[in-house]
Amino acid sequence: MDVRVEQNENLWQFHLEGRLDLAGAEAVENAFNPLKSQKLFGCTLIIDFSGVHYISSSGLRVIVACFNHLEEQEGRMILCGMDIAVREVFDFAGLSDVFTITESLAEALDLARTY
Amino acid sequence: MDVRVEQNENLWQFHLEGRLDLAGAEAVENAFNPLKSQKLFGCTLIIDFSGVHYISSSGLRVIVACFNHLEEQEGRMILCGMDIAVREVFDFAGLSDVFTITESLAEALDLARTY
Amino acid sequence: MDIPLRHRPGVPSFVEVSLPSDPKYLAVVCTMIREFARLHGMAEELLRKIELAVDEVCSNVIVHAYEGRHDAVYRVRCTFDEPRLVIEVFDRGHSFSLEQCPKPKLEGPLKSRGTGGLGIHFIRKIMDEVEYEGHLGGENCFRMIKKVA
Amino acid sequence: MDIPLRHRPGVPSFVEVSLPSDPKYLAVVCTMIREFARLHGMAEELLRKIELAVDEVCSNVIVHAYEGRHDAVYRVRCTFDEPRLVIEVFDRGHSFSLEQCPKPKLEGPLKSRGTGGLGIHFIRKIMDEVEYEGHLGGENCFRMIKKVA
Ligand SMILES: Nc1ncnc2c1ncn2[C@@H]1O[C@H](COP(=O)(O)OP(=O)(O)O)[C@@H](O)[C@H]1O
Ligand SMILES: Nc1ncnc2c1ncn2[C@@H]1O[C@H](COP(=O)(O)OP(=O)(O)O)[C@@H](O)[C@H]1O
């Protein structure tokens, strides 16, 4: 699992690439670490799944934990670029309606601008 | 391994799809069976590898056996559509200079017409 | 398209793999079981589900049975007993009670749902039969069956 | 890009698979060993070669050691002992003498080359070390090592 992070003022982008299984979730958790020491009020965090073609419950868990942390601090999260396999697992877990999900990264960036 | 056979007068086409390992070689050998009862003098046989991304020595063996049979009967063989992985194995075996090999199926068909 | 393997009497249709309890190797066992199931003619959509179920069981072995240790060993055996695909995962770690696993909350605000419980939920949703035999000091076995006819 | 697995002392880096001597399952073991090697950072070109070497050894077990029987069982073990990738194939069939395998003819007209001998040729070409231990009545072991540093 490779995570590329981009930050521009209050917009964070996490571009994930690889399997988001138990091993991948550890890597993503580490990538999220810098967020812990930040004020996230008013921030938007985009998680770009276009490089992810597999996710397990361990992957969901780390996304949910980050979402909860953001909500507490009144930040926002947008998920984008999910393929059908990844989307299916979010559906399985009843999580598709909880998150803000866009098809493409471009749409996610557009949406972030309107916040 | 799936083999689609097309015959048109003295032009035979074998379109291979799948792994050409020991299991695949058995399937190809079966597909070649009808050739045994044919007069192959003046025939051209095109083997289209565009659906093959793996070949082992078992795969080479069945191609070589068919080539030898054709030569005896004064027929011709053209191989086409090999990707780099397949081509590498032919090279390894010192077989690339023995066979007539074209990049594409279109080129193989063109060449067959000139015989 | 490949011709799916048919069960021939007397020919065992199985594959068994042993590997360390390091999360990095989950991809190895998943890839292998997926290929085995693919050979038996299962469609992509089903392959994805089977892969997820295997991954969830193995992840639980690593995290719960072996408490996150990476240097223990577990075993996955996959048998095609037409029309049933049987997958068994064996470990020598802590056992648990499958029946007493609470169901996860899948509705309402995220905060109220709590974390965890999704793995077993996925497994039960995907597979037709799920059972677990725990053995103190011996091998535990998590067995799941998918009918694919 | 994934970060390649590093060898951590005390953590075994291996995977071991048992499977029937049916040619259909060659794809399963090849896919698995390829994924194991990929995890350890090996490049695509090397993965292709390793896959070929494994396939050739296993094909020989099926065709020669087990005389084409599909219902015997063999075992493949792959260990990463940095920087060496060690692959061992165990069978309980006929043994042979690796040293006495004749080299194939790779030049001249096809007719004059004869068939066979290519498998061992490929294996020797790809791997850095190749050895074989035959045991009457016990397990034979074909071992090959690739240095990947
Ligand atoms: N192989 C196992 N060994 C020991 N305990 C397990 C095992 N699998 C599951 N459990 C127990 O069942 C619970 C539910 O598992 P699961 O649904 O996968 O959710 P999670 O792993 O996220 O808690 C776990 O929290 C654990 O207590
Ligand atoms: N695992 C094995 N068990 C028994 N004999 C073997 C084994 N591997 C190779 N051999 C012997 O070595 C010879 C050369 O093998 P190989 O180079 O793979 O060519 P081929 O299998 O095409 O003959 C075989 O013909 C066989 O006699």
Side-chain angles (χ1 to χ4, degrees):
Chain A
M1 169 62 65
D2 178 63
V3 186
R4 190 165 54 80
V5 188
E6 274 179 74
Q7 190 201 350
N8 200 324
E9 306 201 344
N10 56 3
L11 178 66
W12 293 71
Q13 298 180 47
F14 289 82
H15 305 279
L16 313 187
E17 196 176 325
R19 286 176 75 86
L20 198 31
D21 62 3
L22 181 60
E26 261 177 52
V28 174
E29 206 169 352
N30 289 338
F32 284 160
N33 249 334
L35 295 173
K36 289 195 184 139
S37 52
Q38 301 274 331
K39 293 232 181 308
L40 296 171
F41 177 82
C43 277
T44 303
L45 200 147
I46 295 178
I47 305 184
D48 173 14
F49 283 86
S50 30
V52 178
H53 307 294
Y54 180 83
I55 189 168
S56 71
S57 72
S58 308
L60 293 179
R61 180 196 288 267
V62 62
I63 302 296
V64 167
C66 182
F67 177 86
N68 285 337
H69 179 65
L70 269 169
E71 284 251 295
E72 261 166 37
Q73 305 221 2
E74 299 184 43
R76 289 188 190 81
M77 179 185 271
I78 307 173
L79 311 182
C80 68
M82 292 187 190
D83 72 9
I84 185 184
V86 170
R87 180 57 185 257
E88 211 172 64
V89 179
F90 275 85
D91 289 345
F92 262 15
L95 286 172
S96 296
D97 297 335
V98 175
F99 293 114
T100 304
I101 301 177
T102 67
E103 284 266 321
S104 66
L105 177 59
E107 284 166 85
L109 289 165
D110 277 351
L111 187 57
R113 240 170 264 132
T114 69
Y115 280 149
Chain B
M1 169 61 62
D2 179 60
V3 186
R4 190 165 53 81
V5 187
E6 272 179 75
Q7 191 201 350
N8 200 324
E9 306 202 340
N10 57 5
L11 177 67
W12 293 71
Q13 296 180 47
F14 288 83
H15 304 279
L16 314 187
E17 197 177 323
R19 285 176 76 86
L20 198 31
D21 62 3
L22 182 59
E26 261 177 51
V28 174
E29 205 168 353
N30 289 337
F32 283 161
N33 249 333
L35 295 174
K36 289 195 183 142
S37 52
Q38 300 274 333
K39 293 233 180 311
L40 297 170
F41 178 81
C43 277
T44 303
L45 200 148
I46 294 178
I47 305 184
D48 173 14
F49 283 86
S50 30
V52 177
H53 308 294
Y54 179 83
I55 189 168
S56 72
S57 72
S58 308
L60 293 179
R61 181 197 288 269
V62 63
I63 303 295
V64 166
C66 182
F67 178 87
N68 285 337
H69 179 65
L70 269 169
E71 285 251 295
E72 261 165 37
Q73 306 221 1
E74 299 184 43
R76 286 188 194 78
M77 179 184 270
I78 306 173
L79 311 182
C80 69
M82 291 186 191
D83 73 7
I84 186 184
V86 170
R87 180 58 185 256
E88 209 171 65
V89 179
F90 276 85
D91 288 347
F92 261 16
L95 286 171
S96 296
D97 297 335
V98 175
F99 293 114
T100 304
I101 301 177
T102 68
E103 284 267 319
S104 65
L105 176 59
E107 285 167 84
L109 289 165
D110 277 349
L111 187 57
R113 239 171 263 132
T114 69
Y115 282 150
Chain C
M1 285 299 308
D2 290 353
I3 301 152
L5 269 179
R6 291 273 145 248
H7 182 69
R8 281 150 294 172
V11 178
S13 281
F14 79 94
V15 66
E16 184 178 309
V17 59
S18 306
L19 71 173
S21 58
D22 185 324
K24 287 279 179 189
Y25 295 117
L26 287 167
V28 176
V29 63
C30 286
T31 302
M32 198 197 68
I33 301 293
R34 171 188 263 273
E35 182 66 16
F36 180 86
R38 202 187 60 73
L39 273 178
H40 287 287
M42 287 158 223
E44 184 55 33
E45 213 195 312
L46 181 54
L47 294 181
R48 281 208 298 271
K49 290 183 179 159
I50 289 168
E51 177 170 6
L52 181 60
V54 172
D55 190 6
E56 294 293 347
V57 178
C58 296
S59 298
N60 278 344
V61 164
I62 296 171
V63 172
H64 302 299
Y66 290 132
E67 296 178 301
R69 274 175 57 198
H70 288 191
D71 61 346
V73 173
Y74 66 104
R75 232 164 21 104
V76 182
R77 189 180 169 92
C78 186
T79 313
F80 187 58
D81 182 10
E82 200 170 357
R84 304 176 341 140
L85 186 76
V86 183
I87 301 171
E88 291 159 309
V89 181
F90 301 92
D91 71 78
R92 296 183 166 275
H94 302 298
S95 56
F96 78 114
S97 162
L98 181 61
E99 286 70 36
Q100 285 165 33
C101 269
K103 284 207 175 142
K105 254 190 94 179
L106 300 178
E107 275 160 15
L110 258 196
K111 280 272 149 66
S112 74
R113 296 194 191 181
T115 54
L118 279 179
I120 301 284
H121 167 70
F122 287 170
I123 294 163
R124 288 201 188 277
K125 211 172 149 98
I126 292 166
M127 305 304 279
D128 294 310
E129 290 173 42
V130 179
E131 57 191 46
Y132 177 85
E133 281 172 62
H135 289 294
L136 280 172
E139 251 187 344
N140 307 305
C141 174
F142 196 110
R143 182 181 298 111
M144 45 195 187
I145 296 174
K146 182 75 189 171
K147 295 202 189 74
V148 290
Chain D
M1 284 297 308
D2 291 351
I3 301 152
L5 270 178
R6 291 274 146 247
H7 182 70
R8 281 152 294 175
V11 177
S13 283
F14 79 95
V15 65
E16 183 177 310
V17 57
S18 306
L19 72 172
S21 58
D22 185 325
K24 287 280 181 190
Y25 295 118
L26 288 167
V28 177
V29 63
C30 285
T31 303
M32 198 196 70
I33 301 293
R34 171 188 262 276
E35 182 65 19
F36 180 86
R38 202 188 61 73
L39 273 178
H40 287 286
M42 288 160 223
E44 183 55 31
E45 213 195 313
L46 181 53
L47 295 181
R48 281 207 298 272
K49 290 184 180 159
I50 289 168
E51 176 171 8
L52 181 59
V54 172
D55 190 6
E56 295 293 347
V57 178
C58 296
S59 298
N60 279 343
V61 164
I62 295 172
V63 173
H64 301 299
Y66 289 132
E67 295 179 302
R69 274 176 57 199
H70 288 190
D71 61 347
V73 172
Y74 66 104
R75 233 165 18 104
V76 181
R77 187 180 171 93
C78 186
T79 314
F80 187 57
D81 181 10
E82 199 169 358
R84 303 175 345 141
L85 186 76
V86 183
I87 301 171
E88 291 159 309
V89 180
F90 301 92
D91 72 79
R92 295 184 166 275
H94 302 297
S95 57
F96 78 113
S97 160
L98 181 60
E99 286 68 37
Q100 285 166 35
C101 269
K103 286 210 174 138
K105 253 190 93 177
L106 300 177
E107 276 162 13
L110 258 195
K111 280 272 150 69
S112 74
R113 297 195 190 180
T115 54
L118 280 179
I120 301 285
H121 167 70
F122 286 170
I123 294 162
R124 287 200 188 279
K125 211 171 150 95
I126 292 166
M127 307 303 281
D128 294 310
E129 289 174 41
V130 179
E131 56 190 47
Y132 177 85
E133 280 174 62
H135 289 294
L136 280 171
E139 251 187 345
N140 307 307
C141 173
F142 196 110
R143 180 179 301 111
M144 43 195 188
I145 295 173
K146 182 76 190 173
K147 296 203 187 71
V148 290

